[in-house]
Amino acid sequence: MSSIACTQRDETSRELDYSPVSRKWSFMERELSSAPESGDLLFFRGGGDGPAAHVKNSSITVRHPKMSLSVLLEIGDDEMADPGYCSGIADFLVASLNDVNPAFARVDVTGPWGDDTNLDVVLERRPRYSVDEARQFLRGYSWITVCPDELCRRLGGVSALAASGAFCRVIPLAAGGAVLQSTETLMDFSDDAMRDVFRVLAPVLPAGMPRFDPAHPEVRYVPEDASAM
C-alpha cells in the first residue's frame, strides 16, 4: 500500500510533502499540532481507481481551533450491507470522539464531501455560519449523526433518543454528546428511515424550507421545514 501526505499552513504558503507517511509521519504530526489550514493523507492499494482511504483536516473558519476532520473510504455494496463493517464505523467514531464533546459529525455515502453538510447545501448556508451555531442548531443529519451534548439535552437526553425508535444504536460519549446510528447498515438507510431521524432531530435543526441544489443532485434530505414539525 502506498501513501501521499501533505499539509498547507495557509492559502499563501507552499504545500509541504510528507510522502511516504511510513517514514515521515513524525514530521507531519509535528506540523498538524500547529493547526495548518489543511492536511491530506491518502492511502492507495493496487487495483483501485482512487485512494482506499483519504483523511482530510481543515480549518473551516479563520478562527482556530474550529477544525473539521473527514475520512473518505472506498467501499462497495458488500460493505454497505455488512452489519459488522457498519457497526465498526460507529465504533470508530466512538473511540475517536469519546474524549471530546464534538460539535457535529456525520457518516453517509451521498455527500457533500467538503466542509458543507446536507443542510448547508439545501438551506444555502455557508459552513462558517453553521459551524458558529453548531451548539444551537444541529448542522445536518445522516445515517450516522453525532449530536453535541448541548443539543442532546434539548432532545431529552440519551434515554429519550434511544426510546424514539429512530435509531438502532444511541451511544453516549464520555465527554458529552452521542453517536446516533439510524439503521444497522448503510444499505438499510431508506427515505423512511431518514424521515424518522429528521422527525426526532427536528427540534434542534435550523429553520427553513430546503431547496434542491442541482450542483449537488445526490445530497439526501427531507423536503420539510424543521420548524414546522
Side-chain angles (χ1 to χ4, degrees):
M1 179 174 285
S2 59
S3 61
I4 295 175
C6 59
T7 63
Q8 187 171 16
R9 185 157 295 186
D10 55 50
E11 292 180 351
T12 62
S13 301
R14 67 182 181 88
E15 190 174 84
L16 301 177
D17 182 83
Y18 304 94
S19 308
V21 70
S22 59
R23 294 205 304 266
K24 298 183 179 180
W25 170 248
S26 61
F27 300 103
M28 185 174 186
E29 188 175 30
R30 190 177 310 133
E31 179 65 16
L32 289 173
S33 67
S34 65
E37 187 70 22
S38 65
D40 292 270
L41 180 59
L42 293 81
F43 294 98
F44 297 84
R45 60 189 172 196
D49 294 330
H54 184 180
V55 184
K56 297 168 57 71
N57 87 288
S58 68
S59 170
I60 56 179
T61 72
V62 295
R63 297 183 300 278
H64 296 297
K66 293 179 179 176
M67 302 290 290
S68 71
L69 178 68
S70 60
V71 181
L72 286 73
L73 300 175
E74 181 186 295
I75 64 173
D77 290 348
D78 289 345
E79 290 91 350
M80 289 194 294
D82 182 346
Y85 185 94
C86 291
S87 66
I89 294 175
D91 294 340
F92 169 79
L93 278 175
V94 173
S96 302
L97 302 175
N98 203 42
D99 294 333
V100 298
N101 173 21
F104 177 71
R106 64 186 172 93
V107 178
D108 63 33
V109 294
T110 58
W113 307 123
D115 294 323
D116 305 71
T117 69
N118 64 328
L119 288 184
D120 288 339
V121 168
V122 299
L123 294 179
E124 299 180 343
R125 301 184 305 174
R126 291 184 181 275
R128 67 172 66 243
Y129 300 129
S130 67
V131 168
D132 282 344
E133 298 177 343
R135 298 188 187 277
Q136 298 172 270
F137 302 104
L138 195 61
R139 296 190 64 208
Y141 51 88
S142 188
W143 170 60
I144 290 181
T145 307
V146 178
C147 187
D149 186 58
E150 295 86 345
L151 301 185
C152 281
R153 293 180 188 179
R154 284 170 50 191
L155 293 168
V158 169
S159 59
L161 288 165
S164 70
F167 308 104
C168 72
R169 297 176 74 189
V170 175
I171 312 169
L173 298 172
V179 175
L180 312 176
Q181 180 179 342
S182 170
T183 55
E184 188 175 32
T185 71
L186 268 160
M187 196 68 79
D188 293 333
F189 189 54
S190 63
D191 288 346
D192 286 341
M194 181 173 60
R195 186 173 294 276
D196 288 342
V197 172
F198 172 82
R199 170 183 54 81
V200 173
L201 299 180
V204 298
L205 293 177
M209 179 59 71
R211 298 196 309 173
F212 173 75
D213 183 348
H216 300 275
E218 296 184 350
V219 168
R220 296 180 66 191
Y221 62 97
V222 175
E224 296 180 21
D225 186 340
S227 66
M229 294 290 291

